[in-house]
Amino acid sequence: MRDDPGPSFREEARRLQEVVARYAAGQEPADTSGLRTVGGADVSYEGDNACACVVVMEYGSLRERTRAAATSKAKFPYVPGYFAFREIPAILAALRLVPELPDLFLVHGHGYAHPKRAGIATHLGVLLDVPTIGVAGNLLSGMEADAPPDIRGATSPVTMGGEVVGSLLRTCRNKAPLCVSPGFRTTLPEAISIVLHCTTDHRFPEPLHLADRCAGRFRKEVYRENEKR
DNA sequence: GCGACAG
DNA sequence: ATCTTGTCGC
């Protein structure tokens, strides 16, 4: 696939991001005080063949409840700022195999912390009408933040042009902080506390960590099974 | 014009 | 993201 989706495609995508951001801005934050389940989704690639995995866990115990994986063909290249267009179709494919949506989704990537305030987490939340939080391992160009203290739970604001768009969150000592931002119907303070609650043994919250490994294993099963003679 | 850029 | 096993460190 071309590395460049083309100017008209990008312009269309940008317009869609504006619609998504405007819609999300018009919704009230959901009540997250009684969360029963949290979901996580991630995608692994073999070229443009996407392998997506969705994991749903009980919020309080962090016990796994459901898991599903599916393959699909990516129709949009990876372009920073347009991540949702590459990744979301694959996630939706895996989601079709999940009997019930979680009360909230953690998404690997940014949410409000985005040039158009419509990162993949915001985009997925609007599509599913489920509250979401964006969790990314790196900042996009244009974001600024000081490193939070090296203490689990420490935070520091992430800004774009002076506006606070998210927060760096130290989930593990001696490891780089995550960038947490509201996706759909969530606030930054709630997003931080939810991500911290879900993070136990790894840098990323458990639903994302499991989905990450599941997607990787699934990809190897699908694309390595035959060639190992 | 150059550089920067979630996964 | 992906190419890749064991290994060094907390």
Side-chain angles (χ1 to χ4, degrees), chain A residues 61-147:
Chain A
S61 64
L62 291 182
R63 282 191 46 150
E64 184 171 333
R65 180 175 288 191
T66 308
R67 170 184 301 226
T71 58
S72 62
K73 181 82 175 174
K75 296 180 177 177
F76 200 90
Y78 169 63
V79 182
Y82 300 89
F83 188 40
F85 298 94
R86 175 171 178 78
E87 197 113 320
I88 284 188
I91 293 174
L92 294 180
L95 265 170
R96 288 188 211 108
L97 306 175
V98 175
E100 62 178 327
L101 292 175
D103 293 334
L104 179 146
F105 246 113
L106 298 177
V107 184
H108 199 159
H110 295 295
Y112 189 80
H114 179 275
K116 287 283 184 287
R117 307 299 184 258
I120 185 171
T122 312
H123 213 124
L124 187 67
V126 168
L127 286 180
L128 300 176
D129 192 32
V130 168
T132 60
I133 293 169
V135 183
N138 289 287
L139 299 180
L140 270 168
S141 174
M143 299 179 186
E144 295 179 359
D146 293 323

Side-chain angles (χ1 to χ4, degrees), chain A residues 1-46:
Chain A
M1 165 188 310
R2 305 185 290 183
D3 260 13
D4 184 350
S8 62
F9 208 149
R10 273 206 312 280
E11 197 174 320
E12 186 68 31
R14 191 163 51 244
R15 274 196 290 270
L16 188 47
Q17 289 180 336
E18 284 163 8
V19 172
V20 165
R22 198 179 325 126
Y23 180 77
Q27 305 303 305
E28 296 299 321
D31 176 15
T32 57
S33 62
L35 284 186
R36 288 170 305 180
T37 56
V38 221
D42 205 8
V43 184
S44 177
Y45 293 91
E46 185 78 20

